[in-house]
Amino acid sequence: MVLHFLIRGRVQGVGFRWFVHREAAELGLRGWVRNTDGGEVEVVAAGNHESLTELRAELHKGSRGSRVDKVIEHELDEVEASSLGEFKIEGAW
């Protein structure tokens, strides 16, 4: 299963990407997280249904210091998982 999330709110500059990375890695998910030019955080994650359900719950809660206003979710075609490796932060220094 592959899911795409777009998280809106106060999610940039508050450690949100690092939070997502830690949660996804602990759950054994593959994929990536990155900031968007519009001030959101974008996540693509692949794994089993249970792990993705746990990640979804964490995304709605957010990291300490963040404020999640909205989480938009789409299921992607399973073929998208073939290009995903170990969970990483894109655009990090």
Side-chain angles (χ1 to χ4, degrees), residues 51-89:
S51 295
L52 288 166
T53 298
E54 287 185 48
L55 179 65
R56 177 187 300 115
E58 293 302 318
L59 293 177
H60 280 275
K61 282 190 234 177
S63 64
R64 186 174 176 195
S66 70
R67 186 192 73 246
V68 175
D69 294 335
K70 187 172 189 175
V71 178
I72 301 167
E73 177 183 333
H74 296 95
E75 187 168 349
L76 301 178
D77 195 282
E78 197 66 36
V79 73
E80 298 289 335
S82 64
S83 65
L84 299 175
E86 185 176 317
F87 206 90
K88 65 181 180 179
I89 299 173

Tab-separated table of all heavy atoms in Angstrom, residues 51-89:
chain	number	residue	atom	x	y	z
A	51	SER	N	0.826	-0.233	9.650
A	51	SER	CA	1.872	0.786	9.839
A	51	SER	C	1.450	2.127	9.263
A	51	SER	O	1.700	3.178	9.860
A	51	SER	CB	3.184	0.323	9.205
A	51	SER	OG	3.669	-0.823	9.871
A	52	LEU	N	0.787	2.106	8.119
A	52	LEU	CA	0.337	3.356	7.508
A	52	LEU	C	-0.780	3.995	8.337
A	52	LEU	O	-0.858	5.221	8.430
A	52	LEU	CB	-0.114	3.115	6.068
A	52	LEU	CG	1.032	2.831	5.106
A	52	LEU	CD1	0.510	2.277	3.793
A	52	LEU	CD2	1.878	4.070	4.869
A	53	THR	N	-1.604	3.174	8.958
A	53	THR	CA	-2.648	3.694	9.843
A	53	THR	C	-2.012	4.397	11.044
A	53	THR	O	-2.463	5.475	11.457
A	53	THR	CB	-3.577	2.556	10.311
A	53	THR	OG1	-4.214	2.003	9.151
A	53	THR	CG2	-4.625	3.054	11.293
A	54	GLU	N	-0.952	3.809	11.595
A	54	GLU	CA	-0.247	4.436	12.713
A	54	GLU	C	0.399	5.748	12.285
A	54	GLU	O	0.343	6.744	13.018
A	54	GLU	CB	0.811	3.487	13.272
A	54	GLU	CG	0.226	2.339	14.061
A	54	GLU	CD	1.299	1.488	14.709
A	54	GLU	OE1	2.222	2.061	15.340
A	54	GLU	OE2	1.217	0.263	14.582
A	55	LEU	N	1.026	5.766	11.093
A	55	LEU	CA	1.638	7.005	10.607
A	55	LEU	C	0.576	8.079	10.421
A	55	LEU	O	0.777	9.234	10.819
A	55	LEU	CB	2.386	6.769	9.291
A	55	LEU	CG	3.036	8.029	8.703
A	55	LEU	CD1	4.138	8.560	9.620
A	55	LEU	CD2	3.580	7.755	7.312
A	56	ARG	N	-0.553	7.717	9.850
A	56	ARG	CA	-1.643	8.680	9.633
A	56	ARG	C	-2.045	9.334	10.959
A	56	ARG	O	-2.216	10.549	11.035
A	56	ARG	CB	-2.846	7.974	9.015
A	56	ARG	CG	-4.050	8.877	8.825
A	56	ARG	CD	-5.291	8.121	8.376
A	56	ARG	NE	-5.078	7.447	7.112
A	56	ARG	CZ	-5.090	6.110	6.963
A	56	ARG	NH1	-5.294	5.316	7.997
A	56	ARG	NH2	-4.917	5.576	5.768
A	57	ALA	N	-2.180	8.531	12.006
A	57	ALA	CA	-2.568	9.060	13.315
A	57	ALA	C	-1.522	10.043	13.833
A	57	ALA	O	-1.863	11.103	14.382
A	57	ALA	CB	-2.760	7.912	14.299
A	58	GLU	N	-0.236	9.721	13.651
A	58	GLU	CA	0.838	10.612	14.095
A	58	GLU	C	0.858	11.906	13.296
A	58	GLU	O	1.116	12.977	13.846
A	58	GLU	CB	2.191	9.904	14.017
A	58	GLU	CG	2.333	8.765	15.008
A	58	GLU	CD	2.144	9.196	16.447
A	58	GLU	OE1	2.659	10.259	16.837
A	58	GLU	OE2	1.471	8.458	17.191
A	59	LEU	N	0.579	11.823	12.000
A	59	LEU	CA	0.547	13.031	11.170
A	59	LEU	C	-0.554	13.971	11.644
A	59	LEU	O	-0.376	15.195	11.654
A	59	LEU	CB	0.332	12.675	9.694
A	59	LEU	CG	1.458	11.913	9.007
A	59	LEU	CD1	1.064	11.584	7.578
A	59	LEU	CD2	2.764	12.690	9.043
A	60	HIS	N	-1.691	13.429	12.034
A	60	HIS	CA	-2.794	14.260	12.521
A	60	HIS	C	-2.441	14.912	13.856
A	60	HIS	O	-2.853	16.042	14.119
A	60	HIS	CB	-4.081	13.433	12.651
A	60	HIS	CG	-4.792	13.241	11.353
A	60	HIS	ND1	-5.680	14.156	10.845
A	60	HIS	CD2	-4.729	12.231	10.442
A	60	HIS	CE1	-6.145	13.731	9.690
A	60	HIS	NE2	-5.591	12.564	9.417
A	61	LYS	N	-1.690	14.216	14.699
A	61	LYS	CA	-1.270	14.774	15.996
A	61	LYS	C	-0.211	15.850	15.802
A	61	LYS	O	-0.244	16.894	16.436
A	61	LYS	CB	-0.673	13.679	16.882
A	61	LYS	CG	-1.692	12.789	17.534
A	61	LYS	CD	-0.992	11.922	18.552
A	61	LYS	CE	-1.284	10.470	18.304
A	61	LYS	NZ	-0.579	9.579	19.214
A	62	GLY	N	0.779	15.549	14.953
A	62	GLY	CA	1.865	16.481	14.697
A	62	GLY	C	2.958	16.404	15.738
A	62	GLY	O	2.842	15.720	16.756
A	63	SER	N	4.028	17.102	15.455
A	63	SER	CA	5.175	17.141	16.352
A	63	SER	C	4.980	18.239	17.386
A	63	SER	O	4.132	19.123	17.229
A	63	SER	CB	6.453	17.417	15.556
A	63	SER	OG	6.380	18.700	14.956
A	64	ARG	N	5.795	18.189	18.410
A	64	ARG	CA	5.775	19.237	19.418
A	64	ARG	C	6.138	20.559	18.734
A	64	ARG	O	7.110	20.636	17.992
A	64	ARG	CB	6.807	18.895	20.486
A	64	ARG	CG	6.787	19.809	21.641
A	64	ARG	CD	7.723	19.297	22.698
A	64	ARG	NE	7.761	20.253	23.788
A	64	ARG	CZ	8.669	20.252	24.713
A	64	ARG	NH1	9.634	19.359	24.689
A	64	ARG	NH2	8.640	21.145	25.660
A	65	GLY	N	5.351	21.563	18.947
A	65	GLY	CA	5.613	22.864	18.333
A	65	GLY	C	4.914	23.071	17.009
A	65	GLY	O	4.894	24.169	16.485
A	66	SER	N	4.344	22.006	16.449
A	66	SER	CA	3.634	22.162	15.181
A	66	SER	C	2.140	22.319	15.448
A	66	SER	O	1.662	22.111	16.561
A	66	SER	CB	3.872	20.942	14.280
A	66	SER	OG	3.218	19.797	14.797
A	67	ARG	N	1.424	22.686	14.405
A	67	ARG	CA	-0.038	22.736	14.459
A	67	ARG	C	-0.549	22.179	13.138
A	67	ARG	O	-0.283	22.732	12.077
A	67	ARG	CB	-0.534	24.169	14.647
A	67	ARG	CG	-2.057	24.241	14.850
A	67	ARG	CD	-2.595	25.663	14.735
A	67	ARG	NE	-2.586	26.081	13.328
A	67	ARG	CZ	-1.823	27.065	12.827
A	67	ARG	NH1	-0.998	27.739	13.595
A	67	ARG	NH2	-1.873	27.377	11.552
A	68	VAL	N	-1.225	21.066	13.190
A	68	VAL	CA	-1.758	20.439	11.988
A	68	VAL	C	-3.199	20.900	11.812
A	68	VAL	O	-4.051	20.650	12.664
A	68	VAL	CB	-1.679	18.893	12.080
A	68	VAL	CG1	-2.341	18.252	10.872
A	68	VAL	CG2	-0.234	18.443	12.215
A	69	ASP	N	-3.455	21.601	10.711
A	69	ASP	CA	-4.802	22.070	10.405
A	69	ASP	C	-5.555	21.088	9.529
A	69	ASP	O	-6.776	20.941	9.654
A	69	ASP	CB	-4.756	23.427	9.706
A	69	ASP	CG	-4.214	24.529	10.602
A	69	ASP	OD1	-4.321	24.402	11.843
A	69	ASP	OD2	-3.666	25.508	10.061
A	70	LYS	N	-4.833	20.427	8.622
A	70	LYS	CA	-5.497	19.528	7.672
A	70	LYS	C	-4.488	18.517	7.131
A	70	LYS	O	-3.339	18.871	6.878
A	70	LYS	CB	-6.080	20.348	6.522
A	70	LYS	CG	-6.927	19.561	5.561
A	70	LYS	CD	-7.622	20.486	4.585
A	70	LYS	CE	-8.636	19.706	3.775
A	70	LYS	NZ	-9.417	20.572	2.905
A	71	VAL	N	-4.951	17.283	6.967
A	71	VAL	CA	-4.150	16.243	6.321
A	71	VAL	C	-4.953	15.744	5.130
A	71	VAL	O	-6.070	15.232	5.291
A	71	VAL	CB	-3.831	15.072	7.278
A	71	VAL	CG1	-3.043	13.992	6.548
A	71	VAL	CG2	-3.058	15.553	8.495
A	72	ILE	N	-4.411	15.933	3.943
A	72	ILE	CA	-5.045	15.464	2.710
A	72	ILE	C	-4.345	14.166	2.317
A	72	ILE	O	-3.117	14.108	2.297
A	72	ILE	CB	-4.924	16.513	1.583
A	72	ILE	CG1	-5.583	17.825	2.036
A	72	ILE	CG2	-5.527	15.996	0.287
A	72	ILE	CD1	-5.253	19.005	1.154
A	73	GLU	N	-5.115	13.149	2.018
A	73	GLU	CA	-4.545	11.826	1.763
A	73	GLU	C	-5.071	11.244	0.455
A	73	GLU	O	-6.259	11.375	0.156
A	73	GLU	CB	-4.936	10.915	2.929
A	73	GLU	CG	-4.504	9.497	2.796
A	73	GLU	CD	-4.982	8.640	3.952
A	73	GLU	OE1	-5.197	9.165	5.061
A	73	GLU	OE2	-5.145	7.443	3.739
A	74	HIS	N	-4.157	10.603	-0.289
A	74	HIS	CA	-4.525	9.895	-1.515
A	74	HIS	C	-3.786	8.563	-1.544
A	74	HIS	O	-2.616	8.502	-1.157
A	74	HIS	CB	-4.109	10.681	-2.770
A	74	HIS	CG	-4.801	11.987	-2.910
A	74	HIS	ND1	-4.242	13.165	-2.466
A	74	HIS	CD2	-6.000	12.311	-3.416
A	74	HIS	CE1	-5.076	14.161	-2.713
A	74	HIS	NE2	-6.153	13.673	-3.282
A	75	GLU	N	-4.461	7.545	-2.007
A	75	GLU	CA	-3.783	6.267	-2.194
A	75	GLU	C	-3.178	6.267	-3.595
A	75	GLU	O	-3.830	6.679	-4.561
A	75	GLU	CB	-4.757	5.100	-2.048
A	75	GLU	CG	-4.051	3.758	-2.063
A	75	GLU	CD	-4.931	2.608	-1.636
A	75	GLU	OE1	-6.039	2.838	-1.127
A	75	GLU	OE2	-4.488	1.455	-1.822
A	76	LEU	N	-1.918	5.862	-3.685
A	76	LEU	CA	-1.222	5.804	-4.964
A	76	LEU	C	-1.213	4.367	-5.471
A	76	LEU	O	-1.391	3.416	-4.701
A	76	LEU	CB	0.213	6.312	-4.824
A	76	LEU	CG	0.373	7.750	-4.329
A	76	LEU	CD1	1.847	8.099	-4.186
A	76	LEU	CD2	-0.316	8.731	-5.261
A	77	ASP	N	-0.949	4.214	-6.745
A	77	ASP	CA	-0.851	2.893	-7.342
A	77	ASP	C	0.317	2.137	-6.721
A	77	ASP	O	1.366	2.731	-6.453
A	77	ASP	CB	-0.650	3.041	-8.858
A	77	ASP	CG	-0.891	1.743	-9.579
A	77	ASP	OD1	0.019	0.888	-9.530
A	77	ASP	OD2	-1.971	1.591	-10.171
A	78	GLU	N	0.162	0.868	-6.513
A	78	GLU	CA	1.184	0.031	-5.872
A	78	GLU	C	2.518	0.081	-6.612
A	78	GLU	O	3.577	-0.091	-6.006
A	78	GLU	CB	0.681	-1.410	-5.784
A	78	GLU	CG	1.418	-2.271	-4.811
A	78	GLU	CD	1.252	-1.844	-3.358
A	78	GLU	OE1	0.167	-1.386	-2.980
A	78	GLU	OE2	2.237	-1.969	-2.602
A	79	VAL	N	2.503	0.346	-7.907
A	79	VAL	CA	3.737	0.415	-8.697
A	79	VAL	C	4.656	1.526	-8.191
A	79	VAL	O	5.869	1.457	-8.346
A	79	VAL	CB	3.424	0.563	-10.202
A	79	VAL	CG1	2.904	1.956	-10.539
A	79	VAL	CG2	4.630	0.227	-11.043
A	80	GLU	N	4.081	2.553	-7.554
A	80	GLU	CA	4.874	3.658	-7.008
A	80	GLU	C	5.855	3.171	-5.933
A	80	GLU	O	6.900	3.773	-5.716
A	80	GLU	CB	3.968	4.731	-6.408
A	80	GLU	CG	3.033	5.397	-7.392
A	80	GLU	CD	3.733	6.321	-8.363
A	80	GLU	OE1	4.820	6.839	-8.040
A	80	GLU	OE2	3.197	6.529	-9.458
A	81	ALA	N	5.526	2.091	-5.259
A	81	ALA	CA	6.371	1.574	-4.181
A	81	ALA	C	7.716	1.066	-4.698
A	81	ALA	O	8.705	1.069	-3.970
A	81	ALA	CB	5.653	0.454	-3.432
A	82	SER	N	7.774	0.655	-5.952
A	82	SER	CA	9.000	0.074	-6.500
A	82	SER	C	10.165	1.061	-6.518
A	82	SER	O	11.319	0.661	-6.449
A	82	SER	CB	8.757	-0.481	-7.904
A	82	SER	OG	8.410	0.566	-8.782
A	83	SER	N	9.875	2.352	-6.578
A	83	SER	CA	10.946	3.353	-6.636
A	83	SER	C	11.309	3.904	-5.252
A	83	SER	O	12.194	4.749	-5.142
A	83	SER	CB	10.531	4.507	-7.549
A	83	SER	OG	9.420	5.190	-6.994
A	84	LEU	N	10.641	3.429	-4.207
A	84	LEU	CA	10.874	3.965	-2.870
A	84	LEU	C	11.868	3.113	-2.089
A	84	LEU	O	11.759	1.895	-2.063
A	84	LEU	CB	9.559	4.041	-2.083
A	84	LEU	CG	8.479	4.933	-2.689
A	84	LEU	CD1	7.196	4.810	-1.887
A	84	LEU	CD2	8.935	6.373	-2.756
A	85	GLY	N	12.817	3.795	-1.462
A	85	GLY	CA	13.793	3.110	-0.634
A	85	GLY	C	13.563	3.422	0.829
A	85	GLY	O	12.466	3.822	1.230
A	86	GLU	N	14.605	3.275	1.609
A	86	GLU	CA	14.560	3.588	3.036
A	86	GLU	C	14.007	4.992	3.226
A	86	GLU	O	14.317	5.906	2.458
A	86	GLU	CB	15.976	3.490	3.602
A	86	GLU	CG	16.070	3.676	5.084
A	86	GLU	CD	17.494	3.457	5.565
A	86	GLU	OE1	18.152	2.510	5.110
A	86	GLU	OE2	17.932	4.259	6.419
A	87	PHE	N	13.184	5.187	4.243
A	87	PHE	CA	12.532	6.477	4.448
A	87	PHE	C	13.566	7.578	4.635
A	87	PHE	O	14.521	7.425	5.393
A	87	PHE	CB	11.584	6.435	5.653
A	87	PHE	CG	10.486	7.447	5.534
A	87	PHE	CD1	9.295	7.121	4.924
A	87	PHE	CD2	10.663	8.740	5.995
A	87	PHE	CE1	8.285	8.065	4.782
A	87	PHE	CE2	9.664	9.689	5.865
A	87	PHE	CZ	8.481	9.345	5.253
A	88	LYS	N	13.376	8.705	3.913
A	88	LYS	CA	14.352	9.787	3.955
A	88	LYS	C	13.669	11.148	3.947
A	88	LYS	O	12.490	11.271	3.609
A	88	LYS	CB	15.312	9.690	2.771
A	88	LYS	CG	14.649	9.888	1.427
A	88	LYS	CD	15.637	9.761	0.290
A	88	LYS	CE	14.919	9.962	-1.046
A	88	LYS	NZ	15.827	9.866	-2.159
A	89	ILE	N	14.460	12.139	4.325
A	89	ILE	CA	14.023	13.520	4.263
A	89	ILE	C	14.612	14.117	3.000
A	89	ILE	O	15.836	14.122	2.829
A	89	ILE	CB	14.496	14.324	5.488
A	89	ILE	CG1	13.910	13.730	6.760
A	89	ILE	CG2	14.123	15.800	5.334
A	89	ILE	CD1	14.460	14.349	8.033
